[in-house]
Amino acid sequence: MFSIKGLNKSYDTNKVLNDIDFHIDKGEVVAVIGPSGSGKTTLLRCLSFLEKADSGRIVIDETGEEYDMHSASHAEIRSVRRHMGFVFQSFNLFKNMTALGNCMEGLVTARHMKKEEAEDKARAMLEKVGLSDRMNHYPDELSGGQQQRVAIARALSLDPDLILLDEPTSALDPELTIEVLDTVRKLAKEGTTMIVVTHEMSFAKEAASRIVFIEDGEIVEDGLAEEFFENPSEERTREFLNRTGT
Ligand SMILES: Nc1ncnc2c1ncn2[C@@H]1O[C@H](COP(=O)(O)OP(=O)(O)OP(=O)(O)O)[C@@H](O)[C@H]1O
Ligand SMILES: [Mg+2]
């Protein structure tokens, strides 16, 4: 579905991503794991053009579209982003809008959908993440886990081909983490294509089809989840898994 080729990114003299090649197919759930500072967030930010790469290309297989990650125009960036939804650590909801309003916003403004139609769609997505009874609440009136599920519903409502999640549970208490991970797990079972950066190894093990392990800005190992955890081929991966008690 998506390929990245030769992605490089530095901040001043700090080389954060070093010649990354990466591919994701439709229906795959890829967990990106690795030590703090290894470049995971930067990878998602470059992929979604929130950060400008120094070099690299992104290819959308289905359409043959190919974009330069350094010099893509605003119009090109918009067309890549139409394929993607984002879920951030910090939810990023509009405080002055209800859960329903947050999920309708992009449909009405970016997709020019009629209000009634947008509302139907937003309601369906909030139901999917288990928030039928919280649609008319504002973010302040929702728990962290509920806010994050609104953020997931908002991403889903735009029908993206790929959803990028950057540590969706890191700001949450353990019991709220469970409800968000359950939601992501459900989406995975339904075949939603996702890249999830996570520190939750047991979740990665069970929900992801593939694991990408990044260290020092390089993909050290990229493999099927089962093989990755049972029989990692790289010494650096084994060390990381030992350190994290996996
Ligand atoms: N805007 C920025 N300006 C300068 N350096 C940055 C910037 N963003 C990230 N970095 C640096 O890039 C490196 C990779 O950061 P990144 O946030 O991608 O790591 P990460 O793998 O997501 O870490 P964590 O697991 O802690 O979230 C770090 O050394 C970080 O300090
Ligand atoms: Mg990060």
Side-chain angles (χ1 to χ4, degrees), residues 11 14 16 35-42 167 199:
Y11 290 109
N14 183 12
V16 176
S36 182
S38 56
K40 306 180 296 296
T41 294
T42 308
E167 295 196 40
H199 286 293

